[in-house]
Structures are given as C-alpha cells and as structure tokens.
Amino acid sequence: MAKRDNKHERRIKRFIVGTGLFTILLATSTYAWFIGMKTVNVSPFDVKVAAIDGLSLSLDGITWADTVSINKDNYNVATYTGNTNTWGGTGLIPISTVGVVSDTTSKLVMYEKGSLTVTPGGYRLMASLVENTAGAEKSGYVAFDLFIKNLSGNEYYSEYNQLNEEAIYLEPDSMVKVGSAGVADTGIENSVRVAFAQIGRVVATTTDSTTIQGISCAETSGVTTICSKRKATIWEPNDTDHAANAINWYSKACKKRTGEDLTLGASYEGACKTVEDGKYSKTYAVSGVIDYTDRVDVYDGTDYNEYTTSIASTPTAGKLNEVDYFTDTEKNLRGNDRPEFITLAPNSITKVRIYIYIEGQDVDNYDFASLGKQIAVNFSLSKERYFGEDVDYNDEGTATLPDDVIYENHKDPTNTATAGN
C-alpha cells in the first residue's frame, strides 16, 4: 500500500505545471531598520527556475528554456545589454514599498530610511525615495527581469483585461528561512519580501529581441502595458511567525499613541496592542516621502499603537499604507480555498520584474534580527490548483499504463527515455 501511495504521489507531482525552484542566500552582518543599519551583505547565491508544459523562461527574451539560472556572477553578463538588474551592490538595506510600479521608470517605487529618532513610545520615521528613476537600479535590494512565455491557447488578447488571464499558484514548498550558515531564532527571515511586478506583454510569436527586451510601461505598438493597471504582487513569507526577541523588543519600545506631537511624553500612554507568535500582524509600509512635519511613528496603525492619523487608505506622501500581501497562510490553503498568486495572459510573453528585499516596516525587523546572518529563499509556481488528495484522485487502473499514456503531453521528468523530447 505504501509503495502504491508513493507512486501515486510521484505521479501527481509530475503533473504539476509551472515554474520551479528559486534558491537565494542572503547573508546579514549589521543592523536592521530601526537603529543605524547600513548594509546587509549579499553572499553568492543562485536563482534557478524550471518550467513545464506551455511555459518557457528567459533572462534575455532571446534564449528560451525549461530552466534558467541567475546569480551574482552572471546577473548582468548572462542577461541582455541595457538591462537594469541589480544584485544588491555592497549590501542590502531595509526599504519599504506598497507595490506601486512607476509608469515613467517601469520600476517599483521604493522608499528608504531618511532619519530615525527615538520617541517616548517608538521611533519617528523620515523616509526618502529610492532614486532608481534612471539607468540601473540602486544598491540595497535584488532586482532582475524574468520573461515568461505562456503558450496556452492560440488567441492573444491584446487589450488588457485580467479576466482574460490564467491563474498561477504559489506552491506550498515555497519558503524563506535562515540558511545553513545562519543563526536561528533571530527572526530576520520574517521581514523578507518578494515582489512580482508585471511590466507588460506581447504576443508569444514575437521574435524581435528589441521588442521583447524593451517592454516597458510606455504605450508602444504591439505592447500591452500592465504597470498602472495593477500593483506588484508581494509575497510575505512567515506571516504569522514572530521571534521571541522581536516581540520583546516591540513590547518594550512601543507605547500607545494618543497625541499628534510625537516628541512629547504626554502623546503616549499605556501599552500597545500585543504581537503574538502564530498570529498575523499587519504591515503599514511607506507609501510616499515622509519628513519631520508628517510626524510618523514606525508603530502607527491599529495593530500596534492604535494611532491612525498617519495611515492612508491609498498610497499618499507623508503617510503609511496597509499592504495586502500574498501570505504563507494563503499559500497553504487547499482545494477551492487556494487563491491565485498571479495571472498570465495566454499566448503571451510577459516581462516580470522580481524584487527581493527586506521590509523595514515589518514589526519583526528589529535591531538584532540581522544576527541571523543568512537567509534562504525558495519558491515555485504552478498552474495546478488542486493536488491529488484535493480531488480524491484514485490511480487504480493507471499504474500499468505506459508513461506516454499516463502523462499524455506532460513528459515524465524522471523517465530518461521521454524527458526533453
């Protein structure tokens, strides 16, 4: 029985259609958002992606394959001339974003710490725009282009309408954790984010590399732009995990805010709301330039000091904005409850800009989190919503069928006779 179950499990896994595994190691060395952090060093790591059945991948829009690999050594050389990829430069710094993509730069709009001053109940935050408006991206985060060719269907819908697109799912084995060379229980892995910013798309039959590589937010012939149509999808791993030291730091530093002048002790009184391991706490990210006149405390928001004057419902300069992340809790839902992660148009080539960064406004981003030293990031995408157990799959009568019959157009990747044909 166990042997048949194992065969059944292997067969179901072979049916999975989508992009495979990303592996990322980020080494940290100094401090996080709250005090004086300058850099979080980036160690060499590889990003590997695999695709099956109708999905092909490329780093340059020219060479297409089932798998691609990008790392610190080839992120610029192995991609296309004129790309604006970055591998963090001298190191990562905590940044903050609500997922807006700029129509003028075709890049994610991000903010970094301008100043941080202790208040009687937290820290006054000033934030400046990350100047990635021209040329290459700046140091402090990882960003690269991934081109995805989706050959599902023959019709290409040139007009933008998300209802025309196909659902893609984040696989349950996707995770962010402390790497093998890191230090556990610091919580650094809990403030990592991965953003998927769709820039635009063209019909899948396009072969002109200049057109494919040049996909941007600008309205050009043959290109369907996406930037202003929707925000980037941002994955928040470990959304309910809070390290004990992060909770202790928050409990000590945060006081309930009752007044506008955050320099006065009288503006803070009582305890903030509790942050508990196993329970989700919202992130109120920076949504615009913040200066001293905006009087923003990092703990502002209903989930923390309960002060909401500095919180905006839409991205606004001088305010924080609650971000609707795609969380690990959603990733782990099953069956009909499993939500889509992103959508892709059929018969298309989509340019997706991927950002990997540390969210400075995450409550788990406290002074000593960076002692974790190394983070491992793995994620994979699939077109399959259901797993075998979700639909009571029974493989009786199929165990003896030849692989080409069992898999039809899906070649068995473990069968060397059919793999790659």
Side-chain angles (χ1 to χ4, degrees):
M1 181 67 175
K3 183 176 181 180
R4 192 175 75 83
D5 287 344
N6 289 337
K7 178 182 285 187
H8 170 223
E9 183 177 356
R10 288 197 304 271
R11 181 172 294 113
I12 293 300
K13 287 181 178 179
R14 292 168 189 164
F15 272 112
I16 293 177
V17 180
T19 62
L21 182 66
F22 288 71
T23 302
I24 298 149
L25 296 178
L26 304 178
T28 68
S29 63
T30 52
Y31 295 103
W33 179 279
F34 286 152
I35 297 297
M37 191 193 107
K38 287 294 186 182
T39 62
V40 178
N41 291 338
V42 183
S43 65
F45 59 85
D46 291 333
V47 176
K48 297 179 181 178
V49 194
I52 309 169
D53 184 51
L55 287 178
S56 297
L57 307 173
S58 178
L59 296 173
D60 59 10
I62 302 173
T63 304
W64 297 91
D66 291 340
T67 61
V68 295
S69 180
I70 186 171
N71 54 49
K72 183 179 180 181
D73 295 325
N74 76 358
Y75 79 92
N76 196 28
V77 176
T79 53
Y80 60 94
T81 302
N83 76 82
T84 58
N85 297 345
T86 182
W87 215 249
T90 58
L92 302 184
I93 61 173
I95 63 173
S96 194
T97 180
V98 296
V100 172
V101 180
S102 169
D103 275 335
T104 57
T105 67
S106 303
K107 299 183 180 75
L108 196 64
V109 179
M110 298 172 290
Y111 300 90
E112 60 185 338
K113 179 181 67 178
S115 174
L116 205 71
T117 301
V118 175
T119 67
Y123 300 86
R124 186 207 66 194
L125 174 66
M126 292 169 56
S128 58
L129 182 69
V130 173
E131 295 293 345
N132 62 343
T133 55
E137 296 272 8
K138 300 302 179 182
S139 298
Y141 50 91
V142 171
F144 61 92
D145 293 329
L146 180 67
F147 299 90
I148 305 177
K149 182 185 289 186
N150 181 17
L151 294 179
S152 176
N154 294 314
E155 181 69 23
Y156 177 70
Y157 302 96
S158 58
E159 74 282 2
Y160 173 83
N161 190 328
Q162 198 168 356
L163 295 176
N164 293 328
E165 301 179 358
E166 298 178 316
I168 306 296
Y169 300 92
L170 187 66
E171 287 294 278
D173 60 357
S174 304
M175 68 179 67
V176 173
K177 62 181 182 179
V178 174
S180 58
V183 179
D185 300 325
T186 67
I188 185 63
E189 69 276 18
N190 299 335
S191 57
V192 174
R193 301 288 190 272
V194 183
F196 294 73
Q198 293 192 38
I199 305 303
R201 56 178 170 83
V202 294
V203 62
T205 53
T206 304
T207 58
D208 180 62
S209 60
T210 302
T211 299
I212 297 172
Q213 295 169 358
I215 292 174
S216 70
C217 300
E219 295 285 350
T220 56
S221 178
V223 175
T224 302
T225 62
I226 302 176
C227 302
S228 61
K229 309 294 194 306
R230 59 190 182 214
K231 293 182 182 179
T233 297
I234 305 178
W235 169 35
E236 180 185 4
N238 310 314
D239 57 304
T240 61
D241 293 346
H242 307 290
N245 286 327
I247 295 174
N248 292 340
W249 186 283
Y250 162 79
S251 300
K252 182 69 173 180
C254 186
K255 302 298 180 185
K256 183 176 180 179
R257 184 177 176 186
T258 57
E260 181 181 12
D261 191 341
L262 43 65
T263 67
L264 300 178
S267 293
Y268 298 88
E269 183 180 0
C272 288
K273 284 193 173 179
T274 303
V275 171
E276 298 180 54
D277 186 34
K279 292 186 178 181
Y280 184 68
S281 293
K282 298 175 182 177
T283 298
Y284 301 96
V286 177
S287 64
V289 172
I290 298 174
D291 66 23
Y292 76 93
T293 63
D294 296 312
R295 300 179 178 180
V296 174
D297 194 294
V298 295
Y299 293 130
D300 287 348
T302 54
D303 275 16
Y304 304 107
N305 66 15
E306 302 183 58
Y307 187 79
T308 59
T309 301
S310 58
I311 309 298
S313 58
T314 58
T316 306
K319 301 287 186 178
L320 303 176
N321 183 211
E322 178 187 337
V323 181
D324 182 16
Y325 295 115
F326 186 95
T327 65
D328 266 5
T329 298
E330 294 174 297
K331 175 202 72 177
N332 292 327
L333 294 174
R334 301 295 295 270
N336 290 339
D337 293 327
R338 190 181 183 195
E340 65 185 32
F341 179 60
I342 61 173
T343 59
L344 294 173
N347 196 27
S348 67
I349 296 172
T350 303
K351 183 178 184 178
V352 181
R353 191 146 183 84
I354 296 175
Y355 291 80
I356 302 166
Y357 65 99
I358 296 174
E359 174 53 61
Q361 274 294 104
D362 191 296
V363 70
D364 295 290
N365 198 349
Y366 71 108
D367 272 4
F368 302 122
S370 60
L371 297 177
K373 295 185 181 298
Q374 191 184 69
I375 301 166
V377 181
N378 303 279
F379 60 91
S380 55
L381 306 174
S382 172
K383 281 188 178 181
E384 291 293 335
R385 182 179 192 179
Y386 300 108
F387 298 94
E389 54 269 34
D390 294 335
V391 293
D392 298 324
Y393 177 77
N394 188 337
D395 65 354
E396 288 292 339
T398 65
T400 58
L401 290 176
D403 284 339
D404 282 346
V405 175
I406 294 174
Y407 299 103
E408 297 179 349
N409 293 328
H410 306 286
K411 298 302 183 183
D412 178 2
T414 65
N415 186 338
T416 57
T418 62
N421 292 339

